[in-house]
């Protein structure tokens, strides 16, 4: 048994995660973690311990979920679980065309369980100076070596990360099922890696990277996350302005890009705040689309580079503030 929706990094507090929504490559099917909570124990600003749910103290329950700790502190949570197979086929496919990349993502999240993957996420990869030096290192288990060398003249590449979970009794069929799913995708010819891993090993893949960062001392530098939800109608423009121009030199950290189904996403603003007109307008624009793209950037910086990070935030805000048509395709 495991939670239906988990974040990419497992070493977080439950209360902290639920105060920030908890979004990952499983959210397209199950919603973020806050959509899978049945009951909370919280401590209010008055020091009172309160049990709340959608049936009991519902206003408090919905305010606390994704509420950034503004309404109460979460101390316990009862969440939905599901049965999970012990193994996964772990796929990384690479694209040079952003439109093909996002269309494949959106197609996959629109399919039923049998016709899609269990985990769908994407990332942006910035090219080095040498056009023949695409060396993509998969976050693999220690006993697996699956580096992929990609030949491409594109300034930016995109990686689609997918998993299909299966039981041992399905070992003879999973390869055929996987090939059937991959045939519908439009990644670069021959540029795909497929790894066998345990379900837990895949979920814990970021911890290996954390160990490496701790050894080098980089884990202890500032590495703030920037999370954005961009409507489907604006994601191509965002790629052209941000990924291909503003961030063409990279950010010294991962940039994740993946779609969410609107009807699966209890989006992440306190529900009882009525007086923040700009927030409501922003969310209304996002929710007018059937799908949104979740952008997550982890920027590893030193204190000297804080001004650069602030400048990046200003640049992105200017892009998002540009006049545009909110009609969703």
């Amino acid at each position: 048994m495991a939670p239906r929706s988990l974040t990419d990094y497992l070493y977080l507090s439950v209360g902290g995660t639920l105060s920030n929504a908890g979004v990952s490559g499983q959210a397209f099917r199950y919603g973020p973690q806050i959509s899978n909570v049945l009951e909370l124990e919280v401590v209010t600003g008055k020091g009172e311990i309160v049990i709340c749910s959608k049936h009991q103290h519902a206003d408090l329950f919905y305010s606390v979920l994704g509420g950034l700790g503004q309404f109460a502190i979460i101390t316990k949570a009862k969440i939905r679980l599901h049965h999970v197979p012990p193994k996964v086929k772990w796929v990384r496919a690479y694209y040079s065309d952003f439109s093909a990349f996002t269309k494949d993502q959106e197609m996959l999240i629109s399919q039923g369980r049998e016709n899609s993957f269990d985990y769908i996420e994407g990332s942006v990869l910035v090219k080095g100076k040498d056009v023949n030096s695409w060396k993509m290192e998969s976050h693999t288990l220690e006993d697996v070596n699956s580096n992929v060398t990609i030949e491409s003249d594109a300034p930016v590449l995109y990686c689609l990360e997918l998993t299909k979970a299966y039981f041992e009794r399905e070992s003879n069929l999973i390869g055929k099922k996987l090939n059937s799913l991959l045939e519908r995708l439009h990644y670069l010819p021959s540029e795909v890696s497929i790894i066998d891993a345990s379900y837990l090993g895949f979920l814990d893949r970021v911890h290996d990277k954390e160990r490496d960062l701790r050894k080098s001392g980089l884990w202890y530098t500032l590495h703030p996350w920037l999370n954005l939800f961009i409507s489907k109608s604006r994601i191509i423009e965002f790629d052209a302005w941000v990924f291909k121009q503003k961030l063409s030199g990279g950010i010294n950290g991962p940039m994740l890009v993946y779609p969410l189904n609107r009807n699966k996403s209890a989006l992440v603003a306190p529900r009882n705040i009525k007086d923040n007109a700009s927030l409501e307008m922003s969310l209304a624009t996002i929710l007018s689309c059937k799908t949104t793209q979740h952008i997550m950037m982890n920027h590893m910086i030193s204190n000297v580079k804080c001004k650069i990070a602030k400048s990046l935030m200003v640049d992105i805000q200017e892009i998002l503030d540009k006049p545009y048509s909110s009609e969703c395709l």
Side-chain angles (χ1 to χ4, degrees):
M1 300 290 287
R4 301 200 305 175
S5 187
L6 286 161
T7 54
D8 289 328
Y9 181 62
L10 301 183
Y11 293 82
L12 301 168
S13 70
V14 174
T17 303
L18 296 180
S19 295
N20 288 274
V23 181
S24 77
Q26 298 159 313
F28 77 95
R29 177 167 293 150
Y30 299 113
Q33 285 190 323
I34 59 174
S35 296
N36 293 277
V37 178
L38 301 173
E39 183 181 279
L40 295 172
E41 178 191 274
V42 303
V43 178
T44 69
K46 296 180 179 180
E48 299 171 339
I49 298 175
V50 180
I51 304 297
C52 56
S53 67
K54 66 179 182 179
H55 304 296
Q56 182 181 6
H57 303 295
D59 288 349
L60 180 61
F61 179 73
Y62 287 118
S63 296
V64 169
L65 291 173
L68 303 177
Q70 298 175 85
F71 302 95
I73 303 300
I74 299 171
T75 52
K76 292 182 182 178
K78 184 184 293 185
I79 61 176
R80 291 187 177 92
L81 304 176
H82 67 158
H83 289 281
V84 293
K87 300 185 71 175
V88 299
K89 289 289 186 179
W90 177 4
V91 178
R92 289 169 69 91
Y94 300 92
Y95 295 70
S96 58
D97 184 328
F98 186 72
S99 179
F101 169 71
T102 57
K103 285 180 180 178
D104 279 357
Q105 285 185 323
E106 290 166 5
M107 179 274 292
L108 288 173
I109 69 170
S110 70
Q111 305 298 306
R113 187 186 306 273
E114 290 301 312
N115 295 315
S116 189
F117 292 87
D118 303 308
Y119 183 98
I120 300 172
E121 196 168 84
S123 57
V124 180
L125 306 165
V126 177
K127 191 180 186 312
K129 295 179 180 179
D130 182 355
V131 296
N132 296 315
S133 67
W134 279 114
K135 194 79 170 177
M136 306 304 170
E137 183 181 354
S138 298
H139 297 296
T140 65
L141 303 180
E142 291 181 0
D143 59 343
V144 177
N145 182 9
S146 183
N147 288 346
V148 179
T149 301
I150 299 175
E151 302 290 339
S152 174
D153 293 329
V156 177
L157 286 184
Y158 311 94
C159 176
L160 182 56
E161 189 164 40
L162 312 159
T163 69
K164 190 69 176 176
Y166 66 100
F167 292 96
E168 288 286 351
R169 63 177 180 270
E170 301 173 295
S171 296
N172 294 332
L173 301 175
I174 188 64
K176 183 178 180 180
K177 182 180 292 186
L178 194 65
N179 288 336
S180 176
L181 292 173
L182 292 175
E183 284 175 356
R184 296 181 292 164
L185 305 182
H186 302 88
Y187 51 86
L188 290 168
S190 303
E191 303 300 353
V192 61
S193 69
I194 302 175
I195 301 165
D196 266 308
S198 69
Y199 181 83
L200 180 58
F202 170 74
L203 290 178
D204 201 34
R205 66 200 183 283
V206 177
H207 196 213
D208 289 337
K209 182 60 66 176
E210 178 195 338
R211 292 190 188 101
D212 292 340
L213 292 171
R214 286 183 182 276
K215 289 177 183 177
S216 65
L218 284 174
W219 184 256
Y220 304 101
T221 67
L222 297 174
H223 45 280
W225 283 104
L226 168 64
N227 283 266
L228 301 170
F229 290 90
I230 309 295
S231 63
K232 176 182 176 180
S233 63
R234 306 214 57 197
I235 192 61
I236 299 298
E237 177 190 4
F238 190 93
D239 169 64
W241 278 80
V242 179
F243 297 141
K244 289 190 173 72
Q245 294 187 43
K246 297 294 183 181
L247 303 181
S248 59
I251 61 170
N252 195 27
M255 293 184 282
L256 305 182
V257 184
Y258 51 97
L260 301 173
N261 282 313
R262 176 171 64 97
N263 63 353
K264 297 292 184 181
S265 301
L267 274 177
V268 285
R271 300 188 183 187
N272 294 326
I273 297 179
K274 301 297 184 182
D275 58 350
N276 192 332
S278 61
L279 175 61
E280 289 183 358
M281 185 178 299
S282 173
L283 287 176
T285 301
I286 292 170
L287 292 174
S288 66
C289 300
K290 289 184 179 179
T291 63
T292 69
Q293 284 279 350
H294 179 220
I295 313 292
M296 184 184 292
M297 304 179 197
N298 187 347
H299 192 19
M300 302 289 294
I301 58 176
S302 66
N303 289 328
V304 177
K305 294 182 178 178
C306 282
K307 290 184 179 179
I308 298 175
K310 292 178 181 177
S311 174
L312 170 62
M313 290 291 293
V314 171
D315 289 338
I316 291 176
Q317 189 59 53
E318 287 177 354
I319 294 165
L320 297 179
D321 286 343
K322 287 174 58 182
Y324 72 100
S325 171
S326 63
E327 181 179 356
C328 295
L329 302 178

